Amino acid sequence: QICLSLVKLLFYLAHSPLGSIVLLDFQPRQFVMVDGNLKVTDMDDASTEELSCKEDNDCTLDFPTKSFPLKCSVVGKCEGINEKKNLFNAYRYFFTYLLPHSAPPALRPLLSDILNATGDLRYGINETLKAFEKVLHLYKSGLYLQKRPLLLKDYISLKGFRTVEGEAHKCWPSYSHLGCLLSVHSAEEAAAICDSQLQCQSFIVTQHRTWTGRPLASFQSSWTDLIPDTNAVVYIKRSASSGERL
């Protein structure tokens, strides 16, 4: 969410009515999340000026660990230098820390492609936004789950019940530090996640949803203490319930 919001912001800056705007003091402390959107807190160091040049050799974009040769345009300006400076700063301050983590395994190669392409400045802001929107579509639609074995049949569902608080085990990444609370596309994906966790014996798909509309599922290490809840459905591994009376 943070990276996508940042890319949308940089897309606007690259195509603003004033021309391409560069953030000269590009640091994480210069941004804040407001209602799920990333905003710049200080525009004092923003500029629409692009570096003047006479030849391509005048257009090297330098960073502490990398340098990028750019083209000198016919009007004597380094082509796209503001856009590319913003994008590489987004890569080194945000993408490298946030993109490799917590995405479903099937989507990680796509995020790795974005990371590598922006790190080498092979993508401009237009291509980067398009790539992010593709990943978001796959994530929200559940299309990344195609051709996976169906595991929900290995679970017994009990409508109108949930497990007692405190029975959850911890996992990473979790929306709650007290247990294992993950976003899922469906109960089928939750079953696959539970199967991958040695401690997991049951799960509940809650009514809470993330910014993408995906429900949160709570994964439990026990299922024996159930309490009535008209809005809940608890899914219990058949192997865990064998020999027990439901």
Side-chain angles (χ1 to χ4, degrees), residues 83-151:
E83 173 187 330
K84 293 179 185 297
K85 188 171 185 178
N86 283 341
L87 190 54
F88 190 79
N89 278 327
Y91 159 79
R92 66 179 181 140
Y93 287 119
F94 287 89
F95 299 171
T96 54
Y97 296 104
L98 299 177
L99 286 187
H101 309 293
S102 78
L107 293 178
R108 288 174 193 168
L110 296 178
L111 294 177
S112 180
D113 287 344
I114 294 174
L115 192 63
N116 292 332
T118 53
D120 294 335
L121 287 184
R122 287 185 284 109
Y123 280 1
I125 192 62
N126 294 357
E127 295 86 354
T128 303
L129 179 58
K130 185 176 180 181
F132 266 102
E133 289 179 336
K134 176 183 177 181
V135 173
L136 180 63
H137 171 68
L138 295 173
Y139 186 61
K140 292 174 69 173
S141 66
L143 290 173
Y144 67 94
L145 295 170
Q146 289 180 345
K147 299 180 180 179
R148 293 181 60 171
L150 300 179
L151 300 173

Side-chain angles (χ1 to χ4, degrees), residues 152 155-163 187 201-205 222-238 241 244-246:
L152 196 59
Y155 289 77
I156 297 169
S157 64
L158 294 177
K159 295 183 178 180
F161 291 94
R162 63 178 173 83
T163 52
Q201 299 296 318
S202 65
F203 65 88
I204 300 168
V205 180
S222 174
W223 63 271
T224 52
D225 297 321
L226 300 177
I227 57 175
D229 187 336
T230 56
N231 295 319
V233 180
V234 60
Y235 297 84
I236 303 166
K237 280 184 179 178
R238 292 183 183 275
S241 64
E244 300 286 346
R245 296 173 62 186
L246 294 179

